[in-house]
């Protein structure tokens, strides 16, 4: 499995970010071919301070090639272009091969 992790920095207006992200951006991302799963987490610092990262999203694909094909599709291009509409604090995207998913 190959995972795209998207780190969204603190937005200028968190309520507006959430409204747009969950009602517009996530539905766009859901149309990306080859996308297997999406996980969205709001970050918190352990000491109660405001963390630099506001939201963490992971998108899973079968392979790095599947991610590339998905992002190269019309839906992938539309989703990537949409980031500028709401990510006022900036964004970092990282790709990674998943080496351990679950263990006991």
């Amino acid at each position: 499995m190959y995972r795209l992790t998207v780190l969204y920095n603190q937005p200028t207006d968190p309520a507006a970010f959430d409204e747009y992200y969950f009602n517009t951006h996530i539905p766009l991302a859901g149309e990306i071919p080859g996308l297997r799963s999406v996980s969205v987490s709001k970050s918190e610092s352990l000491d109660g301070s405001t963390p630099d990262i506001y939201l963490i999203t992971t998108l899973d694909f079968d392979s790095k090639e599947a991610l590339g094909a998905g992002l190269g599709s019309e839906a992938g291009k539309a989703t990537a272009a949409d980031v500028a509409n709401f990510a006022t604090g900036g964004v970092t995207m990282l790709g990674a091969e998943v080496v351990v998913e679950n263990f006991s």
Side-chain angles (χ1 to χ4, degrees):
M1 181 180 349
Y2 199 80
R3 180 168 290 158
L4 175 64
T5 300
V6 185
L7 306 172
Y8 294 98
N9 294 333
Q10 290 290 334
T12 55
D13 183 344
F17 178 102
D18 288 354
E19 172 70 24
Y20 192 92
Y21 185 80
F22 291 106
N23 294 311
T24 301
H25 190 71
I26 285 293
L28 279 175
E31 299 298 319
I32 298 174
L35 179 62
R36 295 289 179 206
S37 66
V38 176
S39 174
V40 179
S41 305
K42 284 197 174 179
S43 67
E44 297 178 349
S45 65
L46 298 179
D47 67 3
S49 64
T50 301
D52 292 336
I53 303 299
Y54 179 70
L55 199 76
I56 302 166
T57 301
T58 59
L59 302 98
D60 291 337
F61 294 82
D62 286 338
S63 65
K64 186 175 184 178
E65 294 76 22
L67 167 66
L71 294 182
S73 71
E74 290 302 314
K77 291 175 186 175
T79 302
D82 188 52
V83 172
N85 292 325
F86 66 92
T88 55
V91 62
T92 300
M93 297 184 190
L94 306 164
E97 185 74 31
V98 177
V99 293
V100 176
E101 181 66 21
N102 293 308
F103 66 94
S104 49

